[in-house]
Amino acid sequence: MSLALDAITFKYRGTTRPILAEISLEVPSGTSVALMAPSGAGKSTLLSIAGLLLAPDSGSVAINGTRRSVRDGPVLLGKEVGWILQSVNLLARRSALDNVALPRLARGARRRNELSHAEELLGAVGLHGDLQRPARKYSGGEAQRIGVARALMSSPAVLIADEPTANLDLATARDVARALFGAARERTALLIATHDEAIASMADRVITLETSAAL
Ligand code: ADP
Ligand code: ADP
């Protein structure tokens, strides 16, 4: 089992009722869970807790069976915990390949190995051919695929995707989502928030957060 949330409760300061009340879920390695809920239901909040950016008021987060807290966040971010957001923020002037490999090269990994791993991951999300073009020359959908490859570069145990296709047109969004689910399938636990039912249905399990918990 790779990501486990147990009885997570969270309330924003100054609000009267918890936005999350006793939420438990497990995402085994190699599987995916989609969070579907209306805007404001607490998806981003729950993802932030799962990704060790925000401490719950009570309940626990475990990654690969080890209980973790926000104090572990800075060490695990980009390694055991990968993020994909709506906006991918590539280095515009660097190549697709560099954008995927750079986070690893910064840690002093062997350049040739890392570049070939980056190329493999870009292939896995459907980007082949010339990967030396600067990132700003890629379309929105291609850029998001580069972001997926970048997030997978460290083989994270947990991959958290917060509306990763929200800025794309419907058809592109679904293609990118298919690439994301495919590339993550091997050994990552994928937790994805989405508004799109077609995308949620690609996940192994769909969890719906009730907005009423927030009121
Ligand atoms: P989304 O559905 O895209 O997550 P939201 O409208 O829920 O957007 O929130 C947008 C941003 O504003 C979030 O980063 C959230 O943390 C922040 N935010 C939303 N409501 C409040 C609030 N009442 N006080 C402070 N920050 C808020
Ligand atoms: P979602 O991702 O499902 O749209 P969020 O987790 O962003 O929902 O937000 C859940 C609720 O918490 C929203 O009602 C939002 O307004 C509120 N909220 C988000 N951030 C803050 C904050 N920093 N302070 C107070 N309320 C917040």
Side-chain angles (χ1 to χ4, degrees):
M1 143 189 75
S2 202
L3 171 66
L5 304 183
D6 186 38
I8 298 289
T9 296
F10 182 83
K11 184 167 94 59
Y12 282 106
R13 211 168 287 151
T15 61
T16 48
R17 290 185 50 187
I19 177 86
L20 303 170
E22 303 268 330
I23 306 273
S24 299
L25 66 91
E26 281 181 22
V27 194
S29 296
T31 75
S32 52
V33 168
L35 277 180
M36 275 205 88
S39 193
K43 297 184 296 298
S44 294
T45 305
L46 187 60
L47 294 185
S48 298
I49 290 169
L52 307 176
L53 299 179
L54 182 67
D57 296 333
S58 61
S60 64
V61 179
I63 294 172
N64 281 344
T66 303
R67 189 171 170 167
R68 297 298 193 179
S69 79
V70 288
R71 270 169 310 192
D72 302 310
V75 173
L76 299 184
L77 272 179
K79 294 183 200 159
E80 277 196 50
V81 180
W83 279 87
I84 301 168
L85 304 174
Q86 271 181 37
S87 155
V88 53
N89 282 327
L90 299 175
L91 299 168
R93 292 164 192 283
R94 302 300 295 257
S95 69
L97 213 49
D98 276 355
N99 268 280
V100 175
L102 275 174
R104 298 281 304 161
L105 297 176
R107 296 200 177 95
R110 293 266 321 271
R111 184 171 171 84
R112 186 187 296 266
N113 292 348
E114 296 303 321
L115 288 175
S116 94
H117 187 205
E119 191 174 352
E120 249 170 62
L121 287 170
L122 284 163
V125 294
L127 286 181
H128 307 275
D130 180 13
L131 302 172
Q132 298 292 354
R133 277 184 297 155
R136 67 185 141 82
K137 302 237 167 134
Y138 288 87
S139 69
E142 287 170 332
Q144 210 57 0
R145 288 169 198 258
I146 295 171
V148 171
R150 183 180 60 187
L152 289 170
M153 190 67 189
S154 61
S155 307
V158 175
L159 186 58
I160 296 180
D162 195 355
E163 305 270 5
T165 60
N167 293 335
L168 306 174
D169 67 76
L170 216 55
T172 306
R174 290 170 186 183
D175 284 346
V176 169
R178 261 186 287 276
L180 163 62
F181 280 101
R185 186 156 300 278
E186 225 161 84
R187 39 162 304 217
T188 302
L190 172 62
L191 182 59
I192 175 174
T194 179
H195 281 108
D196 185 333
E197 267 178 59
I199 289 175
S201 72
M202 295 175 200
D204 297 307
R205 213 145 53 88
V206 180
I207 289 177
T208 310
L209 289 181
E210 302 289 339
T211 322
S212 54
L215 302 176

